[in-house]
Structure formats: C-alpha cells, structure tokens
Amino acid sequence: MVPEWREAYMNYNYLKTLLKQILIFHRRQTSSHVNSLPPSKAASLKRRTSLFRAFSGLTNRYGNSSPKKDKEDEVILVSAMQTVDEEQGEDGQSYQTTFLRSPEEGGELELVFFRGLDHEFNKVVHFYKTKVDEVVKQAEELSEQMDALIALRIKVNNRVNPRAAAVSPFINETNTGSYPLDAIHEEQQEKRSHDARGYKMASLEVLKHVKLNATPKTPRSTIKNVFKSLNLDLRFNKNEVRDAQEKLKQAFIEFHQKLRFLQNYAFLNQLALSKIMKKHDKITSRNASDAYLKMVEDSYLSQSDEVAKLIGRVESAFVKHFCNGNRNQGMNTLRPKAKREKHRLTFFVGCFFGFSLALVVAIIASVRARDLLKSEGRTQYMNTIFPLYSLFGFLVLHMLMYAGNVYFWTRYRINYSFIFGFKPHTELGFLQVLLLSFGLSVLTLAAALSNLEMELDPTTKSYKVVTELLPLALLIVVLLIIVCPFDIFYRANRFFFLVCLYHCICAPLYSVTLPDFFLADQLTSQVQLLRNLQFYVCYYGWGDFKKRNAETCNNSDVYDVFFILIAVVPYWIRLVQCIRRLCEERDSTQAQNGFKYFSTIAAVVTRALYSKKKGITLKIIAASTSGVATVFSTYWDIVMDWGLLCRNSENPWLRDKLILPNKSIYFIAMVLNVILRLAWMQTVLDFHETPSVHRNALIAIFASLEIIRRGIWNFFRLENEHLNNVGKFRAVKSVPLPFSYEDGYKNL
C-alpha cells in the first residue's frame, strides 16, 4: 500500500469480517443438521460436502474458465448505473450487485456482504479515475513546460540557423514527430508543423508568452528581492536553462513515481477483489466470483490504459532529454533499486553494542578501584574533562532516540522518508543509525577510559599535552567524517544533513522546508552540546588544557557573553524561520509560533544571567519568563505539533485518526512532555548545588532529559504530519515548475 492512500484502498479486513459472520452461520447450520443424523451418515455427509466445494482453478487469475451456468444457477447480477458527482458536477459510473438468493436462510448476511463489496469497489474506481484525471492534466502541463525548455535551449545555444534550430528534440525512433506526453491528445498532432524530414518543429514563439517562476531560494536572490522587485522575464542565459532543466527533471521523477503508485494501486485492488470473491465462494459453496470479476475486468479500473501509456512516454522522454539517451542511467533514476539489508550490518551493531557495554563496565570498575569519586582531582576532572566527553554523550543519546523513532515510524508505516524528502532508498534504517551510534560510543568510551588512566607528570607536575588532546582529536575525527567527500559513511545522508544545517545557519535567507525547521528544533534541545563546543574553543584555544585548568574560561567576561548567546542561537534560528514562513505563506499561526520562540529566548537569557549573578530579582524574573515559555511551548507541542487535545474528537481529548493502537500512550506522552519541560527549574531552584552530585553532572542529567523529551516529540510530530498527508492523499512531493504561461495562451 501507499501509506498516504490507505483510506482509498479496498477495506479487505472489513469484508473478511463480513465473510466470517457468514462462515459462523453456515457452521452452526451444518453442525445442527449433522448432529441430528446418525454418526455414519454424518461422516459421509461431511466427506461429500468437501468433495463438492468450488474449485479455485490452476491457471486463470479470476477463475473465469469455469463452465457456463444456466440462468437458474445464477447467484448475482451486476449492473452499472450512471451517477453525477455533486462536488464536481461530472457524470460517473457506479456498480450495484443484486443478490438473487436473499430469500434463502442466511441470505441477508450475504446481502450485507455484497453491499459492502459494492461500496468498496465504487470507492476504488472513483479514486482511481480521479487520480488518472489528475495525472493526465499534469502530463499536459509537463508537455507545455518541455516546449518552453526546448525553446529556451535553442535560444541560448543558438548553434544553427533559426529554422533548423526549431527542430524539437521530442522525436521518436520513427521520426514521426510525436511528443512523449502530447500523445494524450493526438488530435493536436496535425496542427503542429513538420519540416521536410518529418521532424517536429519547436516554435520560439513560446518564449514570448512564458515567464520564469523565479522564487528567492538563495541568500543572494533573497537579498535582491528585498531591495528591488525581481525581474521575472527570461534573460536567456545558461544558468536559467540549467535551473529550469533541474526543476523539470525532478518534476518528471515525482510524476513517474505517482504513475507507478497508481499502477500498483489498480493491481493491488484487483487482486484483493479476486481473493475476497474466492473466499466468498469457498465459504458459501456458490460460484458468484465469475460474474463479479467479469464486471471488474470490464470496469475502468482494468480497462483504463492511460497510466501504462504515460509511464512509457515519461520514461522515453526522461532518458532522451535528461540522461543523454542512456537508458540504464535513466531507469536507475526513475526506478531505483530497493536497499538490501546485509547480515554484517546486524553483526557489527551487536559487536559495537557489546564493546560499549564492556567499556562502561571497565570505566565503572576503574573509578571504584581508584576511588576517584573521593579523590582530590575529582572536581578538576569534572570541570574540564567531563564537559569535553559529555558532548559526545549528548550526541550518542540523540542518535539513539532517532534510531528508536525510525524503528517505530517504520513499524507503524509512517512515511518518514517522504516527509523529510530523502532521495529514494537513501534513508537510514534504525540499524544503520544504531551502527553509527554505537560506533561513536565505542570511540568516546575508549578515549574517556584512557583519560582516567593518565596521571600527572612527576617532574613538571603538569599533564602531558598529547594525552590531553584526546578529546580534541576525537572531535576532529567526527567532524572530518561528517564533511568527508568520499562515498563512505552514508554520504547522501551526511550531505543532506549539512545542507539542512547550512540553511539553518543562513536563516532566514533560504525558504524554510520541513527538514530545515525540524533540524532547528533538534538544536533547541542540544543547547548544552553547543555550550560544550564553546568550552572546547576556550579550553584548547587559550591553552588551559596544558595544565587541566579552566580558570581562563571561568573568569572571562567574553566567555560569559558567548555562554548566553550560544544558548539563544537555536531559538533565534526558529524565530527567523517563522518570520520567513509568515512572509511567504501569510499564515498567522507562524506569528504565534514565532512568539513562542521569542518567549523562550527571554527565558533562556534570564536563566543564564541568574546562574552567573544570582539575586532574588533575577530569580523571580527567570522563574516568571520560564513559566510563561513553558506553558506556551507545552500547549504548542501537544495541540499544534501533535494535533491532540481535540475536545469533539472521535477519541476523547486526542484526535480522530490515531496510529498507535493503545490510546493511553498518547496521554502518557503528554504528561511526560509537561514534566520534562520543567527541567529548567534545576537552574532557578539551585538543584546544581547538591553536594553529593557535581554541578556539571546534574546539568548533563537534565540536558539528557531534554534530549529524551525531544525524541518523544519527534515521533508524534511526524505522526501528525503523516496523517495530514493521508487526509489529503499526498504521496509525492509537489515540485515547483520553472515556467508559467500567460492566461489563455495555448501551445502551437
């Protein structure tokens, strides 16, 4: 199934439930009749009934090869009726089955089954016809877009004389001059001019009636759009040809995927109809499937060939115009092969997990053996080395939460790959994410264990430089892996992450997409990680690592200022992203969302100031701003991002559509969200001054709770997004087309 079209498929389970009721009725009737017979006759009757059950056939898909029945043996009559779609005002066709054996005992149950079957079949046919009409219109639009692209290529390249240059690249193998998509309306073929060789002529007049859909997507174009109106007229340069071609290429890929979805949709529903009718015949010992499946074969669902023709034309056009005639390259792009899970992936995940556990045990044993928790160097270690390694701990925890998200998204058929916009079959499964997580944890724990074994140099009473550089070396290795240009360590995903991160840094100069603001939301839960990065710069940049002392960082006013600014950056990114979306989409909810992040910025700043300067006034201000931000953010999480707390919903205080079977999980998640959002109270109530636990350890614990809260938020946020796509039957990305035609203009 296409997950977003789930409601449009035939409800097979519902029809099986109706058949089960018929089966129970027949078993009761048979058992009561058999019980009234002597034992010998009852056994003989059971054998005879099993011998005379309907045979499903060996070769025919729908079982239409069975002998013709007399009219008196007919079970159903299927008739087609003309209907009018009240919403669109169009004529349509619906099918109705008349059950001829309803007066028989138990016939009312079969009558209910056939009514349900008709309803499901008519739903499928209506949806399929609606989608076919959509793709036909999209094909016509893509044809017009290709006309403009070809004319623009000719104008820019200008390699031959104008008349010869007007030869369109849309030429089939027999030089009949048919366009790959225009064959939908072949009557227009005669209206197009051909040269002496039979080639289609591409008119440059098209360029006088089209404009480029120039949307400000880059920082440069955004800034230009602010200071002057953007010129939408064609300037006929190679950059525009390349950009237009890239947009059309992506549009063809998405269009081809939609066509394949439709083709599979028709096949699956026909298969389901065949199987459910065979089940009916087996249970009732009737032969009604022949008549019904004959109607299915004659219906629009089976007879329509627009989708198959369009698939062939799209593939031909894509190979010719976007792959230089290389069919293998074109088909690999349009029909990418599914990923194959390898056993070594599971093996290495298990290995790294085992290594991580062993290193954790070794660290605990080393700490207890040396009694490091009560040693003089405990405070020094917690103030310097612990923040350096806790950065990787936050990163590993976030990756583990994401692995859990991916596992449950996959289990409950939430199409996270489509929602995030990953290239087909490049998304990471939960095993791949676990592999990266445990691999990083092994490196981190091994380096941390090495640092525990390092002691002061007896002569200089200072720590060795090489040993103190271990955390920095580990950080450099991780950064080099992330930016590595070679096709290793899931390059497509690393590049996708870097692009989204760059868009976040440059906000609001880029148009905001879901992956961009989703990543920015993740950064808001990693404030402590960003502060640890700041500590790296200070600790190694100012040379404190040579003596394992962070006095320079702790006593610097510049460090304190950046300590506040670093915490504000993620929320500032989300604020300006909301402003950008408000300007583009004119959606008032973005203004409210922006105010949420503004209130959070105020809370973060006042809490940071209180943690540095103390004072009862700052404490009251920090508590007040944090309380307001928490209430607003909690409401937004549960109501807007998760779509819950709907009073008049089918599921009280939840929403009409739920994916998880256990409703209590939603209420538990809401309660946990509220509790974990109160982690800021550890700053205001001075929990970090607990003598038994070091301040940095407490900060790390509360930072980890926020990461866990974000992981829970991620699942329900994407669940809500997925259900919105399901409600709109949105299964492929909407790609903006490069050209727009004047009103009333038609291609020559």
Side-chain angles (χ1 to χ4, degrees):
M1 282 188 181
V2 179
E4 289 77 12
W5 292 356
R6 179 183 292 273
E7 296 297 326
Y9 284 85
M10 193 186 89
N11 195 336
Y12 190 78
N13 290 331
Y14 167 69
L15 295 177
K16 279 179 62 177
T17 302
L18 298 181
L19 287 180
K20 188 175 181 180
Q21 295 176 1
I22 298 174
L23 177 62
I24 293 173
F25 175 81
H26 279 279
R27 283 179 176 175
R28 288 175 179 172
Q29 293 295 107
T30 303
S31 61
S32 61
H33 176 64
V34 170
N35 290 337
S36 63
L37 297 175
S40 58
K41 290 187 177 182
S44 175
L45 179 61
K46 287 182 179 180
R47 284 195 298 271
R48 285 203 302 271
T49 54
S50 64
L51 288 172
F52 289 104
R53 277 186 175 175
F55 181 60
S56 60
L58 296 176
T59 58
N60 195 297
R61 175 180 166 192
Y62 295 117
N64 290 331
S65 59
S66 58
K68 293 186 178 180
K69 306 182 294 297
D70 295 333
K71 285 195 174 183
E72 59 188 22
D73 296 329
E74 289 181 347
V75 179
I76 60 172
L77 291 177
V78 185
S79 57
M81 300 183 299
Q82 294 296 323
T83 59
V84 178
D85 191 334
E86 296 180 358
E87 295 182 359
Q88 300 181 358
E90 298 177 354
D91 293 337
Q93 196 174 44
S94 64
Y95 298 89
Q96 182 174 351
T97 302
T98 303
F99 182 57
L100 303 178
R101 305 295 178 87
S102 55
E104 296 180 4
E105 192 173 7
E108 64 278 0
L109 294 177
E110 292 187 62
L111 185 62
V112 172
F113 167 76
F114 281 109
R115 286 178 180 173
L117 184 65
D118 287 343
H119 173 76
E120 295 298 323
F121 180 66
N122 288 324
K123 177 186 71 175
V124 168
V125 172
H126 175 73
F127 179 82
Y128 183 71
K129 189 174 188 309
T130 302
K131 288 298 179 182
V132 170
D133 292 341
E134 286 182 13
V135 297
V136 168
K137 292 179 182 178
Q138 291 176 12
E140 295 174 349
E141 190 175 11
L142 284 178
S143 295
E144 296 174 353
Q145 294 287 318
M146 286 303 300
D147 284 345
L149 177 63
I150 294 164
L152 186 58
R153 282 175 176 172
I154 295 170
K155 184 71 175 179
V156 172
N157 294 333
N158 198 22
R159 289 189 293 239
V160 290
N161 62 69
R163 191 177 188 281
V167 178
S168 170
F170 278 109
I171 304 168
N172 63 12
E173 289 75 4
T174 57
N175 289 343
T176 58
S178 62
Y179 281 32
L181 302 182
D182 281 346
I184 307 164
H185 39 89
E186 295 180 357
E187 67 276 5
Q188 294 189 6
Q189 296 287 331
E190 302 299 328
K191 299 181 182 179
R192 300 181 180 270
S193 58
H194 294 70
D195 67 359
R197 296 169 294 175
Y199 289 110
K200 177 78 58 117
M201 305 299 293
S203 174
L204 296 182
E205 291 293 321
V206 171
L207 298 180
K208 298 180 180 179
H209 303 278
V210 298
K211 290 184 179 181
L212 278 177
N213 295 325
T215 55
K217 291 188 175 181
T218 63
R220 182 181 176 184
S221 59
T222 301
I223 295 172
K224 286 175 64 178
N225 194 40
V226 170
F227 291 102
K228 63 178 181 178
S229 60
L230 195 65
N231 181 17
L232 298 180
D233 294 331
L234 292 176
R235 297 183 297 278
F236 307 121
N237 59 59
K238 291 185 178 181
N239 289 333
E240 288 176 343
V241 174
R242 184 179 64 251
D243 293 342
Q245 180 169 312
E246 190 60 34
K247 286 182 179 179
L248 266 181
K249 179 180 179 180
Q250 190 60 37
F252 267 74
I253 293 173
E254 296 299 329
F255 183 63
H256 183 267
Q257 185 179 20
K258 187 173 184 179
L259 292 173
R260 291 181 62 198
F261 283 166
L262 268 178
Q263 192 177 49
N264 293 335
Y265 174 85
F267 170 76
L268 278 179
N269 281 286
Q270 291 178 71
L271 183 62
L273 286 164
S274 173
K275 289 177 70 67
I276 202 67
M277 286 306 302
K278 294 299 175 61
K279 284 182 179 294
H280 170 270
D281 288 357
K282 183 178 180 180
I283 290 173
T284 61
S285 299
R286 303 186 192 275
N287 196 357
S289 60
D290 287 352
Y292 203 90
L293 296 179
K294 179 63 170 61
M295 178 270 294
V296 173
E297 286 186 343
D298 295 338
S299 69
Y300 185 84
L301 188 67
S302 298
Q303 294 298 320
S304 173
D305 60 351
E306 285 97 335
V307 173
K309 288 181 178 178
L310 279 175
I311 289 177
R313 293 168 193 153
V314 168
E315 291 176 352
S316 175
F318 187 84
V319 169
K320 186 177 295 183
H321 297 290
F322 299 106
C323 300
N324 295 323
N326 188 332
R327 183 166 182 81
N328 287 335
Q329 177 187 349
M331 297 311 295
N332 287 336
T333 304
L334 291 175
R335 297 173 180 261
K337 296 180 180 179
K339 292 191 303 182
R340 295 181 61 184
E341 296 293 345
K342 300 178 180 179
H343 293 297
R344 65 168 178 253
L345 176 64
T346 308
F347 172 77
F348 281 113
V349 169
C351 283
F352 288 144
F353 176 66
F355 294 156
S356 300
L357 288 180
L359 288 170
V360 169
V361 172
I363 290 174
I364 294 174
S366 178
V367 169
R368 292 183 63 87
R370 297 170 180 267
D371 201 15
L372 296 179
L373 294 178
K374 298 180 180 179
S375 64
E376 295 180 359
R378 168 181 175 267
T379 302
Q380 188 179 23
Y381 185 91
M382 293 299 296
N383 286 335
T384 55
I385 301 300
F386 181 80
L388 299 178
Y389 284 113
S390 61
L391 178 146
F392 300 103
F394 298 144
L395 192 57
V396 169
L397 178 60
H398 210 130
M399 294 170 68
L400 290 176
M401 293 301 298
Y402 180 70
N405 290 148
V406 172
Y407 173 78
F408 286 106
W409 288 333
T410 305
R411 178 178 177 181
Y412 293 105
R413 295 179 59 82
I414 296 175
N415 198 351
Y416 71 97
S417 176
F418 166 64
I419 294 173
F420 285 135
F422 294 126
K423 290 182 179 179
H425 306 299
T426 62
E427 71 279 2
L428 294 181
F430 79 96
L431 281 177
Q432 284 95 339
V433 181
L434 285 178
L435 178 67
L436 296 175
S437 305
F438 292 136
L440 179 58
S441 70
V442 168
L443 292 176
T444 305
L445 292 170
L449 182 62
S450 301
N451 269 114
L452 284 177
E453 300 296 327
M454 297 171 189
E455 297 179 352
L456 280 170
D457 189 293
T459 57
T460 62
K461 299 297 182 181
S462 64
Y463 291 88
K464 293 181 180 179
V465 174
V466 175
T467 58
E468 293 302 301
L469 288 176
L470 265 178
L472 180 62
L474 181 59
L475 179 63
I476 292 174
V477 168
V478 172
L479 293 177
L480 288 178
I481 291 176
I482 292 176
V483 300
C484 177
F486 303 111
D487 194 8
I488 55 176
F489 298 114
Y490 309 112
R491 181 179 64 177
N493 299 90
R494 289 188 287 106
F495 181 76
F496 184 86
F497 168 76
L498 291 175
V499 169
C500 293
L501 183 61
Y502 179 71
H503 288 179
C504 291
I505 295 173
C506 295
L509 300 180
Y510 280 94
S511 294
V512 183
T513 60
L514 187 143
D516 296 339
F517 70 73
F518 193 87
L519 177 59
D521 277 323
Q522 308 308 303
L523 294 178
T524 61
S525 295
Q526 285 286 10
V527 169
Q528 193 56 43
L529 181 145
L530 297 177
R531 282 174 168 167
N532 286 0
L533 276 177
Q534 178 194 355
F535 183 75
Y536 263 90
V537 175
C538 173
Y539 188 68
Y540 289 102
W542 289 347
D544 286 353
F545 70 98
K546 296 178 182 178
K547 50 186 177 180
R548 193 181 279 184
N549 194 320
E551 289 182 3
T552 309
C553 301
N554 296 332
N555 298 326
S556 171
D557 293 335
V558 176
Y559 183 85
D560 291 341
V561 171
F562 277 96
F563 185 83
I564 298 175
L565 293 179
I566 284 292
V568 169
V569 167
Y571 301 102
W572 171 257
I573 291 174
R574 285 297 289 122
L575 174 60
V576 294
Q577 284 179 341
C578 291
I579 295 174
R580 173 71 186 244
R581 294 185 66 186
L582 175 64
C583 296
E584 287 185 345
E585 304 171 11
R586 306 296 179 184
D587 186 1
S588 60
T589 57
Q590 293 304 322
Q592 302 171 22
N593 199 16
F595 178 77
K596 178 191 75 173
Y597 290 106
F598 180 79
S599 65
T600 306
I601 289 174
V604 169
V605 171
T606 54
R607 288 203 303 265
L609 290 174
Y610 172 72
S611 66
K612 294 294 182 181
K613 298 182 178 181
K614 301 301 180 180
I616 188 63
T617 304
L618 276 176
K619 185 172 186 177
I620 294 174
I621 296 174
S624 301
T625 54
S626 298
V628 172
T630 300
V631 172
F632 202 168
S633 298
T634 302
Y635 166 81
W636 200 270
D637 285 346
I638 296 174
V639 178
M640 304 301 292
D641 290 338
W642 294 0
L644 302 176
L645 290 184
C646 300
R647 182 178 302 177
N648 299 322
S649 169
E650 295 177 4
N651 304 294
W653 297 108
L654 298 177
R655 59 171 110 84
D656 292 337
K657 299 293 182 180
L658 300 174
I659 289 182
L660 297 179
N662 192 344
K663 298 178 184 178
S664 62
I665 295 178
Y666 292 92
F667 293 103
I668 294 173
M670 286 189 281
V671 173
L672 280 176
N673 185 273
V674 174
I675 295 174
L676 295 177
R677 272 222 175 259
L678 297 176
W680 56 267
M681 295 180 66
Q682 58 90 14
T683 303
V684 177
L685 300 181
D686 299 326
F687 290 164
H688 56 264
E689 296 181 358
T690 304
S692 59
V693 182
H694 193 274
R695 175 177 180 273
N696 285 340
L698 262 180
I699 291 175
I701 291 173
F702 285 107
S704 300
L705 292 178
E706 170 58 22
I707 295 172
I708 294 173
R709 187 198 68 81
R710 180 59 62 182
I712 297 172
W713 179 90
N714 288 343
F715 175 83
F716 295 101
R717 175 66 181 86
L718 235 66
E719 180 201 24
N720 193 32
E721 186 72 21
H722 174 77
L723 291 174
N724 290 334
N725 290 336
V726 170
K728 300 175 183 178
F729 298 107
R730 194 164 47 197
V732 294
K733 289 188 291 187
S734 178
V735 180
L737 298 176
F739 304 104
S740 58
Y741 281 78
E742 292 179 354
D743 293 338
Y745 176 77
K746 294 182 179 180
N747 283 337
L748 297 175

